[in-house]
Amino acid sequence: MTEQYVLGLQEIDETQVAVVGGKGAQLGGLSRIDGISVPGGFCVTTGAFRRVMAEVASIDELLDRLSRSDPDDRETIRTLGARIREAVEGAAVPDDLAVAITRAVGGLGEDVACAVRSSATAEDLPWASFAGQQDTYLNVVGSEAVLRHVSRCWASLFTERAVIYRQRNGIDHRTVHMAVVVQRMVLPDASGILFTADPVTGNRRVATVDAGFGLGEALVSGLVNPDVYKVRDDEIVVRTIAAKQRAVHALPAGGTREVTVDSRRQEQPALTDAQVVRLVRLGRRIEAHFGRPQDIEWCLADDGFQIVQSRPITTLFPVPESGDRENHVYVSVGHGQMMTDPMKALGHSMWRLTAMVPMHEAGGRLFVDVTRRLAAPTSRAGLLDVLGKGDPLIRDALETVLDREGFVPTLPDADPGGPPAGGPPAPLETDPAVVTRLIERSEASVAALERDIRTKTGPALFDFLLEAFEEHKRVLSDPLSIQAIMAGMEATWWLNDKLLEWLGEKNAADTLTLSVPGNITSEMGLALLDVADAIRPHPELVTFLQGVEDDGFLDELAKLPGGAEARDAIEAYLDRYGMRCVGEIDITRPRWRERPTTLVPVILDNVRNFEPGAAEQRFEQGRQRAQEMERDVLSRLRALPDGDLKADEAKRMIDRVRTFIGYREYPKYGIISRYFVYKRALLAEAERLVRAGVLPEAEDVFHLTFQEFHDAVRSHRVDDGLIRQRKEAFRSYHALTPPRVLTSEGDALTGAYRRDDVPAGALVGLPVSAGTVEGRARVVLDMADADLEAGDILVTAFTDPSWSPLFVGIAGLVTEVGGLMTHGAVIAREYGLPAVVGVEQATRLIRDGQRIRVHGTDGYVEILP
């Protein structure tokens, strides 16, 4: 059967991306929607592109060189891209293909003006729009000119911007092919863009229309500011009419030119209100057809709308499925857990199964629905107070939603129905034995899990795990554990509030909690200093570790002088902390025990930056500073009216905070210890599926939910298409920034600091660890890439407990995410590091290597000249 190189739009639908590219497939789909007018036209298929490319001399060698180039080496990409484009444009179009295109052009009308538009197979996709990456040519007149511009469109696959975009999105140049759309040119009175969801707020019920006179190129190129309309439920809620001084019009002989708009028309609206509403209704019809919000290009000619393109809006954060049409308000789980990266399907399903509250997934992240708690006055006040203490931006975002009249219903407070059975819990004594008892309980529970899971395989393993998850939640909800955590946090708040009121001392608890006993996370950082002590005396070991790439390096290490002791030190560290890793709430993330090379750069930094015995010395220095602060505070309090009473109260709270605040970190350690036991058992099950030929790779199960994994083990069947789809979706989620608060209408809110007490130009955040420090900013997005020197200030998106080994070697901390009691803040205080968290876009606004000053007491960062 002869391949068709030209297809009419009516022959195409949105499933044919491989044949006609993303734009062509979307236009084919659009042309099939009742009531939607699409200019007539055809597609030159990807088969034609492949046929021409096969005849281009040296194309394979050029593509090989392009694939190996660094996306940041713009000069190489520019040079290679230009050579490829020249070769493609210069290639002869085969006679039969030229005849087919010429015949199709003739079918559009005699001497018709055409729009010739690139349509790549990796464009207008749900996860990457590729908008503007390839070329469009307007008002092309005559079949010869169309043929010439078809070649230009093929060549535009290799523009510098298109090549870099593909490389940064991990797309192989050889897998992308170019089709070309040729359509009858519309000569419009007005044109523009319609977004069926607000592209700024994300609200799905608000459509945005940008409109100008003439061709849409005037808007796209920024030649004029458009009229802007926002439409909600068929009502224009915002209308901004711009002075449109310029427009782009088509020329009779082909091409376009800029013209000056008559001064009497410049401030007239490009559309009537009725036309705006009619256009949005058309957009809703298109959105319903494609099943997601759309970015639509339109033209108005003779009072009729022509749709010339529609693509998905890829920047919107997805909305959780609620199963109803009620309003909902969701709070991000990741911002509290210090892990805002997307999670794979097994990761978020396991976290939901072991969490204490129901959670909803969207964009690979988890959210908690707080609508009912916001609806009742008492629970609302409690929720805002707790969340506000942790992260003021979440509170501000929630208050923004509450300010919208009627969005959150007002409900009466629930009737408690009398006092709870058994009365309130007994007050918790300030007794270190309480913490000891809690840790022993947790360790016994993990040991029992390790013992009992060993014999479980197949479906029985999953049944066992469902029971284990109940024990997991029982340990997590232990009333004594919750009391101990709250005792430490409440003592912190009391000390900060009262010592500020009585002595004018800001964030006093930050110094009073230095080197508290029993903090498993800070101990983890100090313990890696001890590992460095075992390596430092042996230069051969240091040289060996500098070249390590294989995770099996420990056996080789032991063969070198001093290597056995070094290996034992690392092994002992992994036995204690090997279940940890960056993003550890996602069970699919590789643990340190699975990938010990992750720790090597940090160990080498410790060898270089510290002296022997640094761990014990640092801990003792912190303890002494806390003691000095305590003596100073109590002495100053006794000098006040009622001073002895105030000093006695403060002493009780200092003892209480030092007894309990270290335990704040232990429950997470217990959770992650259990997670590693679950993971090893599940991976063993995945390996059995690989051996049975059910799966190609064990880690494919990471893209199944827990229930789907269970079903696969029972049935010995897996949906390969589902796994491929999940992998693609997971990759797309990395481009999305999760909001702190999300509504069911799609509003993505990050909150704002309402402060006027910081210097102009400073970056505002939340003060979590007192002190001021100046130094070199090291912007680190992956712990494995850290290369820190003494005195550096770590700037990163977020830190979870796995980052604490880096904290021992830095002078200060700045993060984009975090709260007063999140792990990074707790460890920064314990190590005495000035820290500011919740600094929006810190990793973009602060450049690696810049000098900055961190004001940890007042909560802002200055970028220094």
Side-chain angles (χ1 to χ4, degrees), residues 326-635:
E326 303 296 317
N327 291 344
H328 293 270
V329 183
Y330 303 97
V331 170
S332 165
V333 172
H335 284 79
Q337 290 294 335
M338 304 303 290
M339 212 293 273
T340 56
D341 288 347
M343 300 167 73
K344 296 190 175 97
L346 186 62
H348 61 67
S349 72
M350 290 281 284
W351 192 258
R352 291 168 76 176
L353 284 166
T354 53
M356 301 307 300
V357 294
M359 294 181 179
H360 306 263
E361 182 273 335
R365 280 78 168 188
L366 292 172
F367 295 84
V368 174
D369 188 341
V370 296
T371 317
R372 292 197 67 79
R373 292 184 67 185
L374 287 174
T378 302
S379 60
R380 178 193 310 145
L383 180 70
L384 291 175
D385 183 53
V386 169
L387 292 178
K389 280 179 175 170
D391 185 339
L393 293 177
I394 290 180
R395 177 174 186 143
D396 183 80
L398 289 174
E399 287 175 336
T400 300
V401 177
L402 289 167
D403 286 343
R404 296 176 185 170
E405 191 174 340
F407 189 83
V408 177
T410 300
L411 300 174
D413 285 309
D415 181 4
L428 191 63
E429 291 184 33
T430 302
D431 181 359
V434 171
V435 173
T436 303
R437 188 159 71 250
L438 285 168
I439 291 173
E440 286 172 350
R441 281 188 201 175
S442 178
E443 288 176 341
S445 177
V446 173
L449 172 66
E450 288 180 317
R451 181 188 66 238
D452 296 342
I453 205 170
R454 284 178 191 144
T455 58
K456 304 298 188 292
T457 60
L461 169 65
F462 291 83
D463 295 336
F464 170 81
L465 283 172
L466 289 171
E467 293 176 17
F469 297 162
E470 294 309 307
E471 166 66 4
H472 181 122
K473 289 191 274 191
R474 188 197 66 74
V475 171
L476 204 55
S477 61
D478 182 338
L480 184 62
S481 177
I482 293 168
Q483 272 189 286
I485 292 169
M486 290 309 299
M489 291 169 67
E490 287 165 355
T492 299
W493 295 331
W494 189 96
L495 286 165
N496 282 338
D497 291 345
K498 291 297 184 183
L499 296 182
L500 179 61
E501 177 189 340
W502 293 338
L503 300 175
E505 189 78 46
K506 282 186 179 180
N507 303 326
D510 294 359
T511 305
L512 292 167
T513 53
L514 289 170
S515 297
V516 296
N519 186 318
I520 189 76
T521 307
S522 62
E523 289 170 357
M524 179 171 70
L526 295 174
L528 208 58
L529 290 175
D530 292 334
V531 171
D533 286 353
I535 292 164
R536 191 180 293 104
H538 307 286
E540 269 189 85
L541 298 184
V542 175
T543 302
F544 172 79
L545 289 174
Q546 286 168 341
V548 159
E549 293 180 359
D550 185 347
D551 284 311
F553 70 91
L554 289 171
D555 289 339
E556 291 300 311
L557 182 71
K559 297 173 184 176
L560 298 171
E565 293 82 357
R567 180 195 59 190
D568 291 348
I570 295 172
E571 287 284 5
Y573 186 87
L574 292 172
D575 288 344
R576 177 74 166 148
Y577 304 110
M579 77 293 291
R580 310 218 82 149
C581 67
V582 173
E584 61 192 7
I585 68 170
D586 182 352
I587 198 170
T588 71
R589 291 285 190 106
R591 311 284 137 173
W592 290 344
R593 170 55 80 181
E594 297 169 315
R595 196 171 289 172
T597 50
T598 305
L599 292 172
V600 170
V602 190
I603 293 170
L604 289 170
D605 281 350
N606 288 348
V607 168
R608 184 176 71 248
N609 294 332
F610 293 94
E611 297 297 320
E616 185 177 347
Q617 183 183 7
R618 283 178 67 96
F619 187 83
E620 182 57 27
Q621 285 172 346
R623 194 181 66 80
Q624 288 179 12
R625 278 185 61 198
Q627 284 182 339
E628 289 166 12
M629 178 73 162
E630 179 180 333
R631 285 193 295 269
D632 176 61
V633 162
L634 296 179
S635 169

Side-chain angles (χ1 to χ4, degrees), residues 2 117 134 164 188 228 266 294 337 382 384-386 451 457 582 601 682 747 752 787 796 801 823 849 854:
T2 305
R117 316 172 82 189
Q134 280 83 47
I164 291 172
V228 179
Q266 287 179 4
Q294 297 288 300
Q337 290 294 335
L384 291 175
D385 183 53
V386 169
R451 181 188 66 238
T457 60
V582 173
L682 288 169
D747 293 288
D787 181 14
T796 189
H823 302 277
V854 178

